[in-house]
Amino acid sequence: MPRHVAIIMDGNGRWAKAKNKARHAGHRAGVKSVRMSVETAAQRGVQYLTLFAFSSENWARPEDEVSALMNLFVEALRREVTELHRNNVRLKFVGALDELNPGLRSKIAEAEAKTANNNGLRLTVAIAYGGRWDIVQATRALARRVADGSMEIDDIDDKQFAAELQLSETPDPDLLIRTGGEQRISNFLLWNLAYAELLFTDVLWPEFDQAAFDEALSYYAGKQRRYGHTGDQVEAIRC
Ligand code: IPE
Ligand code: IPE
Ligand code: MG
């Protein structure tokens, strides 16, 4: 079982279009797939689930779609947090949260505070998030420490760098799922996905169901993770 599953939830717009609906109806329909993913991850023993909900590039979408999404985030928080809390889920948001409107920011702060002491599934939602932004702000943080004398340049290594990233408290994703048929990363967790297994499915996000989630988990179960070693070396360590 993967310890950490990350998902690029794509295909809402195409789902809506195929049904002759407006794009925001697709986003709305995607909420039930989020609910299912959280429940399934918890049931299967996945410890960390990270969902890409809105990228730094998504700000470029038409204004009405962006505001429909922001409203949907507020509404989903209003409706789902009680149940998440009851299920012992710990909720965290990552991204350039200062770019969000104050109403959404306060809902986020409320949800994080309410669930902060839960020790079940760690659910991270990436909003206004970009992998390059994440790396740039980590670089700035390290540069500041060097400039103020609290760190030497030569002390910068993988570990120190990762500690400044948004997912500093989360192990790297073991499995990345992208729905909607595209085989790209779209500026998601550029650093953290270095050794993730990648599963691309044509299923559109609103139709991503438990069977599809389980299929992704079986795909992962069939993988040998070698991290540069040979297959024989990995077998020898297992025995
Ligand atoms: C993913 O679905 C949701 C967000 C990016 C916010 P899309 O809205 O990208 O759906 P498609 O790719 O247009 O079908
Ligand atoms: C990626 O989907 C971002 C999210 C799912 C939040 P996009 O639909 O924005 O990706 P591109 O633009 O097709 O690469
Ligand atoms: Mg898309």
Side-chain angles (χ1 to χ4, degrees):
M1 207 46 74
R3 185 149 69 128
H4 181 180
V5 175
I7 307 183
I8 301 176
M9 310 183 289
D10 195 24
N12 297 348
R14 278 162 285 160
W15 180 89
K17 194 167 189 178
K19 292 195 143 39
N20 269 314
K21 293 181 179 184
R23 293 182 58 87
H24 65 80
H27 299 314
R28 199 161 276 282
V31 177
K32 70 170 185 328
S33 302
V34 173
R35 212 177 288 129
M36 177 285 299
S37 299
V38 171
E39 285 165 10
T40 306
Q43 278 168 22
R44 302 290 184 264
V46 171
Q47 294 170 48
Y48 300 85
L49 178 67
T50 300
L51 303 176
F52 200 10
F54 192 87
S55 73
S56 29
E57 288 71 29
N58 289 147
W59 288 118
R61 291 192 177 195
E63 218 176 287
D64 61 338
E65 181 171 349
V66 171
S67 68
L69 277 163
M70 296 301 143
N71 292 337
L72 183 61
F73 296 146
V74 172
E75 194 186 314
L77 281 167
R78 195 174 289 139
R79 279 209 310 245
E80 308 288 339
V81 170
T82 308
E83 181 71 5
L84 290 170
H85 183 47
R86 214 173 54 79
N87 290 325
N88 200 20
V89 173
R90 181 165 167 187
L91 196 52
K92 189 173 158 51
F93 287 79
V94 296
L97 303 183
D98 56 349
E99 294 174 2
L100 304 175
N101 68 63
L104 177 53
R105 279 207 316 261
S106 80
K107 275 295 188 202
I108 285 174
E110 217 177 90
E112 287 184 340
K114 188 177 172 121
T115 62
N117 295 319
N118 291 342
N119 58 10
L121 179 74
R122 300 275 293 256
L123 173 61
T124 303
V125 181
I127 293 191
Y129 176 88
R132 287 179 174 175
W133 165 85
D134 197 359
I135 288 170
V136 167
Q137 64 82 33
T139 307
R140 283 196 191 132
L142 293 171
R144 254 181 238 115
R145 285 169 58 191
V146 171
D148 73 15
S150 63
M151 188 182 205
E152 299 288 330
I153 287 180
D154 290 338
D155 291 338
I156 299 175
D157 58 9
D158 281 26
K159 216 168 149 232
Q160 294 291 336
F161 200 95
E164 298 296 343
L165 291 167
Q166 296 282 294
L167 294 192
S168 58
E169 289 158 26
T170 305
D172 287 344
D174 301 295
L175 171 65
L176 171 76
I177 301 169
R178 180 172 184 145
T179 61
E182 308 296 357
Q183 305 198 5
R184 56 181 174 244
I185 302 295
S186 298
N187 201 16
F188 197 23
L189 301 160
L190 295 180
W191 173 283
N192 318 66
L193 289 171
Y195 259 107
E197 301 298 333
L198 310 177
L199 187 275
F200 300 100
T201 169
D202 289 336
V203 176
L204 303 173
W205 179 248
E207 291 185 339
F208 189 70
D209 58 9
Q210 190 161 63
F213 198 116
D214 280 333
E215 220 171 280
L217 293 176
S218 331
Y219 167 83
Y220 176 83
K223 289 286 160 191
Q224 184 189 51
R225 307 191 73 196
R226 293 192 281 275
Y227 296 101
H229 294 82
T230 66
D232 288 347
Q233 283 178 304
V234 174
E235 279 304 315
I237 294 163
R238 275 164 56 107
C239 296

